[in-house]
Amino acid sequence: MEASISLLGSTKPRLSSLVPSSNVLHRRDFPLPALKLKKVSVLPRILQQKRLIRAQCSDGFKPEEDDGFVLEDVPHLTKFLPDLPSYPNPLKESQAYAIVKRTFVSSEDVVAQNIVVQKGSKRGVHFRRAGPRERVYFRSDEVKACIVTCGGLCPGINTVIREIVCGLNNMYGVNNILGIQGGYGGFYSKNTMTLTPKVVNDIHKRGGTFLQTSRGGHDTVKIVDNIQDRGINQVYIIGGDGTQKGAEKIYQEVERRGLQVAVSGIPKTIDNDIAVIDKSFGFDTAVEEAQRAINAAHVEVESVENGVGIVKLMGRYSGFIAMIATLANRDVDCCLIPESPFFLEGKGGLFEFIEQRLKENRHMVIVIAEGAGQDYVAQSMRVSETKDASGNRLLLDVGLWLTQQIKDHFTNVRKMMINMKYIDPTYMIRAIPSNASDNVYCTLLAQSAVHGAMAGYSGFTVGPVNSRHAYIPISRVTEMTNTVKLTDRMWARLLASTNQPSFLTGEGALQNVIDMETQEKIDNIKISSI
Ligand SMILES: Nc1ncnc2c1ncn2[C@@H]1O[C@H](COP(=O)(O)OP(=O)(O)O)[C@@H](O)[C@H]1O
Ligand SMILES: O=P(O)(O)OC[C@H]1O[C@](O)(COP(=O)(O)O)[C@@H](O)[C@@H]1O
Ligand SMILES: [Mg+2]
């Protein structure tokens, strides 16, 4: 049996850096013989720092020689605490699971990242399947867990908090659970609160986060000092890409200090910009809520002469909410997202399209993601870039800017009377409670996180990959942002449904073509690295 690690990257690897904490093949579960290192390709400059390390494993599955099977594994506490005792999983005694055929997930169960395959193709990347394991590495009465929420809001955070508390308590008999208030900074600057199933009983019916949140304030050493001082041994971290980067640092510090602490990340983002997972929780709820704003815009512009409605939706770097809300609605004439640069003037531009639609229909609706056209807006406003406490770029209000540009053009240049209606429902969309299907999704995420932590995994993220929940190395979800691929069919479906210009031809299109080429290169790398 043979196993090897392949490194995609430009720098010469050191052995220690090749086996990162997030990618250790766990010998007990998945016993591996010697590891062989292989440098397989050099990425273009744009991705050079983002080294993708993957471990190829042929053990356990007894695959054919070099069938291309790759397991991207998550770390286990026994990696640095080899003598850690394990215990039978208390779920064995659970009445609820009494007649379940297979209560426990086998160490050989994995989830394939790619499910569309060609006959004879390599098996590709896999992640460990999430779920309860036969043996756990914590005694229930020894567990002291904490939960923290960081970054922006999204529907469903309270459901995840509730289900971590109830999952720990109902499935594993854990009674000691703390809420860290106000995000990462709360570890060292605020009091904790005690969380019980009773305390969190109906929080899933409310939007926001019961624990409060914040941006900025991540201080790894202070946070881990606090974890150590309080005797916390399970840390559940709910947050987006920035938060998950922070979770990775906390795990690394935990490992450096040799602490028996399970660090579990639960990906949260309204923008759906987290890589690898199918979709982030709260996204469907947000898309549904966006329909109300789009419908309102449509009613308004339909009721007046030459009505032009603009609805601004969230999406800092990724236009998923705008794209899916547009596709779902069918009253939208044009959707503008950060991934697809647009231009206003001249042939093939937005002004020309608006005029054409007004002639045809006497009204039109534009949906714009808040991150769209930022460089364009910045050029015309000459403003310097500012950042929030977490280092995220603060966006210029593209919705207001576009409203003004359209007004000026039609009133002053085209001498046409138009009726502009601008709707900005951004915070309303992310502040609501999650819908029924997101609630179920949040429950599965929370329970997967609890099972993973109890099973002794640490430094991992949970999430569905092709509809199956998996344990994913944190670095895999932070190294790339999930964005709308203009070269995928979904964007083509949108263009076909709105019949809007693609902004790839015409006077303002040169830069767009360059951006498309860059995007295509990135897509090709992602595809070839799978
Ligand atoms: N690279 C990073 N390393 C450590 N912590 C980070 C990093 N980026 C962001 N954070 C922390 O994660 C938290 C949330 O980050 P933010 O980007 O605001 O939201 P989100 O996690 O939802 O994307 C903040 O407390 C921030 O300090
Ligand atoms: O005003 P806030 O709270 O900083 O949030 C605004 C940003 O938060 C987002 O919802 C994304 O938040 P996250 O990075 O926390 O996922 C963006 O869509 C938006 O630009
Ligand atoms: Mg983010």
Side-chain angles (χ1 to χ4, degrees), residues 149-153 182-185 213-220 223 237-250 268-270 273-274 316 388-392:
T149 57
C150 312
L153 296 182
Y184 277 135
T213 184
S214 68
R215 297 199 188 270
H218 180 99
D219 183 325
T220 314
I223 292 169
I237 302 173
I238 306 167
D241 53 344
T243 307
Q244 300 305 319
K245 284 176 195 155
E248 174 85 336
K249 287 182 183 161
I250 292 173
K268 167 246 47 135
T269 164
I270 195 77
D273 58 1
I274 296 201
R316 193 185 274 139
D388 70 15
S390 292
N392 301 306

Side-chain angles (χ1 to χ4, degrees), residues 1 3 25-33 57-60 107 128:
M1 280 182 284
L25 292 170
H26 184 220
R27 282 177 182 277
R28 178 189 36 76
D29 266 5
F30 229 103
L32 284 171
C57 170
S58 60
D59 195 68
S107 62
R128 273 191 194 282

Side-chain angles (χ1 to χ4, degrees), residues 21-22 50 150 184 218-220 223-224 237-253 263-268 273-275 316-317 390-392 459-461 473-482:
S21 49
S22 60
K50 304 187 176 190
C150 312
Y184 277 135
H218 180 99
D219 183 325
T220 314
I223 292 169
V224 180
I237 302 173
I238 306 167
D241 53 344
T243 307
Q244 300 305 319
K245 284 176 195 155
E248 174 85 336
K249 287 182 183 161
I250 292 173
Y251 168 71
Q252 281 162 0
E253 183 63 14
V263 179
S264 167
I266 296 121
K268 167 246 47 135
D273 58 1
I274 296 201
R316 193 185 274 139
Y317 305 114
S390 292
N392 301 306
F460 66 96
T461 300
I474 297 182
S475 57
R476 271 310 300 277
V477 297
T478 55
E479 68 196 352
M480 268 181 205
T481 302
N482 188 29

